[in-house]
Structure formats: structure tokens, C-alpha cells
Amino acid sequence: MIPTGFRHRVAEHAASGALRDLLEHHQLSYMPEPLSEGAAFGFSGALDLRVRIAVAAIPTIDVDGRAPTLEHELCQHLGIAAHWRATSSRGPAWEALQAELDAGRPTLVRADPAELDYRNASRHDTRHAIVVTSYDAEADVVWIADGSFPEPQRCSLRSLAAARASQAWPEPARHGLLQIHDRPAQLADPRAAVAAALNRVVRAMRRPPRPAHPHVRAGLAAVDALAGVWPQLPDAAGPRLGATLATLRLRICKGGTGGALYRSLQARFLHDSAALLGSAELGRAALVCDDLADAWRTLAAAIDGADPELSHRACAPWVQRVRSLEHQHVAALEQHLKLHRAVAA
């Protein structure tokens, strides 16, 4: 079921947990011990922020805190030759996965948890990542390392195919699969890898591409928009206020976000990187990010009430604190990059 030498652990976030398992399997780390799950997330530079605000929508506000290109960009920043394979055809998708497994390579794929038969889940997430470790053609099953479970899971081929083909939230899964071509002798220079990840975050937060959806804001403009609309939210949402707040809480602390819209994973990466590089600036950025993660957690906790209007008022100071700390976090990353400009370039 599990290849020799493959170690799997429960994860806070599916994709970063799956990548952590694969990096450990391939013995790729900057230290004697394996990279942490936070490092697997942070080296991708995937932290960002998008907020959709639409009065006529249910919910009125929705948020997301990570880029969809996490898996491939982690490999790019760490100097790992890899290819993100996506297709709309089930046949070629299974053949590609089967070839990886036949070669003895546990493989990361995206699979909607609502379609996986070993899970009792109704929540859709087409970016949910799992590692397929082996298959049994006669029994029509695969064995899966899923960050929500400590032990390997048995899954039918039919169920896996449906999960990989899902068209649900937030985007079509398209049988996404990470192909790692060759295990490098060593990872990229750690200073360059950290700089690449931080630059990716700063660009996404300071100068994000213009969102395709007219009601979506991205980066620091997104948190500014969230803080700006918050006082008027009860009037804008009307009877949908409770549903809007419940969705916001779900996005922040449930569904594999590390409990704080991925900010706790980013903080762990910054702490690890500060120790790895001996950077006082990264140490300070890590502390700011700790505070930012706590602010998002407290915002989510303030929503947890039976009275939506009371919850809305309780959240107000925490929305402002989140806004302030998001700006401080980006400024702290920029300070490190400014002092290490040659590497960052």
C-alpha cells in the first residue's frame, strides 16, 4: 500500500502536507531533518489574498488566501525539475498516473474530497491534494495518503477518476498531477529559494494581476476593500448576513487552511527561514506573521455566534487589525529583500 521509505503524516493543509511528504520521500531538505509543512507551503510563495464583494451574491463576501499554482511553484523555487500536468480526458489522466506508480513514484494529484468514497464529506474543493502511492488493477482500487488521515486510504478507481474530473469550487480540477522528473542532487541555494518565495508573495500582495471577475479584489487592495465594506455589511447582505459570516469563518479556519487562512503556515516558514539564513529581518517578519495568523483566528472565532448582527459588531476591530497586520507583514518581507537585494534579484 505504501512504498518503502514513504512517510505520511496528518497535515494542516492538504497540498503543503502532500508536498512535505514527497520532499521527505525524495530526501530533499536544507537541514538534517525534513522540511516542515510550513516550509513546504512558504517556499512556494503561494500566500496571497482575494476577496469577492458582491451585494447580490450568496455569500456577499468570500475570501481565498493562496495561489492555485502552489505545487509547481514550490518545485521551481527549490530547483526541482517538475511539470504540472492537466487534462480534461480521463483516459490519458489515468495513464499518466499509472506510469508514475509503475515507476515506483508516489504522485501528487488534485481530487475533490466530496467525490472520494473513503471520505464522508460534502464540501467541495478541487484544489485538495493527495498522494497516490499504489494501485491494484485486479481490485480496481488505489491507495492514497490523504493529509486528513494518519493511515493510507483505500479508494476505488471510479471514485478517484470522478474526484480528479470534478468541476466544483473553486475551479475545474482537470486531473491535475505533479510529475517530478528527476531528484536533484541538492536543492537550490537557500538564500535564492527564500528570496524567490518572498518576491512572489510581495508581488501578489502589492502588484497583483487584475482579477478577471469585476467584484474581486486582490492583494492588499483586497484587505483594504474588506475593511472598507465591513461597516455597511449588514445593510448590503440583509437576510444573508448569517450565511455570509458563516462562509467567511469556513474559509478562514476550516477546509485545510491551517486554521488562519494559511497565515500560520507562512509564519512557520518565516521562522524556519530566519533560522536557516540567520536573518534577524525574517525573524521579525515571522513574529508579525504570528500576530497576523492570530488576528485571522480571532476574527473567525468572533463570528461563531447565534446572532449575526452581534457577531458582525464583534468582528469589526479584528477586521481592522487584520488589515493593519497584512500591510505590516508585506513591509517586513520587503525589508529583508531590501537588505539582501543582490540575492533577491
Side-chain angles (χ1 to χ4, degrees):
M1 296 185 296
I2 297 292
T4 301
F6 185 85
R7 182 185 179 200
H8 167 65
R9 285 165 284 167
V10 172
E12 294 184 69
H13 168 231
S16 52
L19 290 163
R20 174 205 59 199
D21 289 350
L22 286 176
L23 289 171
E24 182 176 356
H25 179 68
H26 290 290
Q27 299 180 320
L28 294 171
S29 180
Y30 288 113
M31 297 156 284
E33 64 272 15
L35 291 176
S36 68
E37 181 185 351
F41 178 87
F43 271 116
S44 72
L47 190 87
D48 66 8
L49 185 64
R50 290 181 300 282
V51 175
R52 178 186 54 74
I53 304 171
V55 173
I58 303 175
T60 303
I61 294 176
D62 205 354
V63 300
D64 190 14
R66 57 152 283 199
T69 51
L70 185 156
E71 296 91 345
H72 190 215
E73 290 200 77
L74 170 72
C75 294
Q76 286 182 326
H77 296 161
L78 293 183
I80 300 170
H83 173 66
W84 183 253
R85 182 187 179 100
T87 177
S88 299
S89 302
R90 294 194 181 194
W94 167 244
E95 291 170 4
L97 175 57
Q98 187 178 34
E100 294 296 304
L101 298 176
D102 286 342
R105 292 188 289 266
T107 302
L108 183 151
V109 302
R110 285 186 181 169
D112 186 349
E115 301 289 348
L116 294 170
D117 56 16
Y118 61 86
R119 296 179 66 108
N120 183 22
S122 59
R123 182 185 60 83
H124 291 279
D125 183 358
T126 56
R127 295 185 312 200
H128 181 73
I130 57 177
V131 177
V132 183
T133 60
S134 61
Y135 71 96
D136 183 335
E138 293 184 2
D140 284 336
V141 299
V142 293
W143 290 95
I144 288 170
D146 186 321
S148 298
F149 302 88
E151 65 282 323
Q153 300 297 304
R154 187 180 189 269
C155 180
S156 69
L157 289 177
R158 181 189 297 272
S159 170
L160 178 64
R164 297 184 67 203
S166 175
Q167 300 288 306
W169 184 92
E171 60 197 7
R174 300 195 66 238
H175 302 276
L177 178 152
L178 184 67
Q179 285 182 312
I180 297 178
H181 301 303
D182 295 301
R183 177 188 176 277
Q186 61 183 20
L187 295 175
D189 181 280
R191 295 168 299 174
V194 169
L198 299 186
N199 270 313
R200 169 72 173 77
V201 173
V202 169
R203 286 195 307 272
M205 296 300 286
R206 287 279 191 211
R207 301 176 298 279
R210 184 172 182 174
H213 196 289
H215 296 296
V216 173
R217 300 293 180 268
L220 293 175
V223 75
D224 291 344
L226 177 64
V229 79
W230 196 262
Q232 294 80 42
L233 183 58
D235 292 334
R240 302 182 297 275
L241 179 61
T244 295
L245 293 177
T247 298
L248 186 59
R249 183 173 187 272
L250 173 69
R251 297 284 189 252
I252 295 170
C253 66
K254 303 290 185 182
T257 64
L261 202 65
Y262 310 101
R263 272 56 186 167
S264 57
L265 295 168
Q266 175 76 358
R268 175 63 190 272
F269 161 67
L270 292 173
H271 281 292
D272 290 353
S273 297
L276 179 65
L277 303 184
S279 168
E281 296 77 33
L282 284 181
R284 285 189 283 271
L287 295 176
V288 171
C289 202
D290 282 334
D291 288 344
L292 175 59
D294 285 341
W296 277 107
R297 287 192 197 96
T298 308
L299 172 59
I303 293 172
D304 192 17
D307 184 338
E309 292 191 2
L310 179 61
S311 294
H312 170 262
R313 290 195 298 272
C315 289
W318 291 103
V319 171
Q320 295 300 328
R321 180 156 175 78
V322 161
R323 177 184 179 275
S324 174
L325 287 167
E326 287 284 357
H327 281 265
Q328 291 178 46
H329 170 240
V330 174
L333 302 186
E334 291 172 325
Q335 181 65 17
H336 170 82
L337 292 170
K338 179 181 178 181
L339 294 175
H340 302 275
R341 190 169 295 165
V343 174

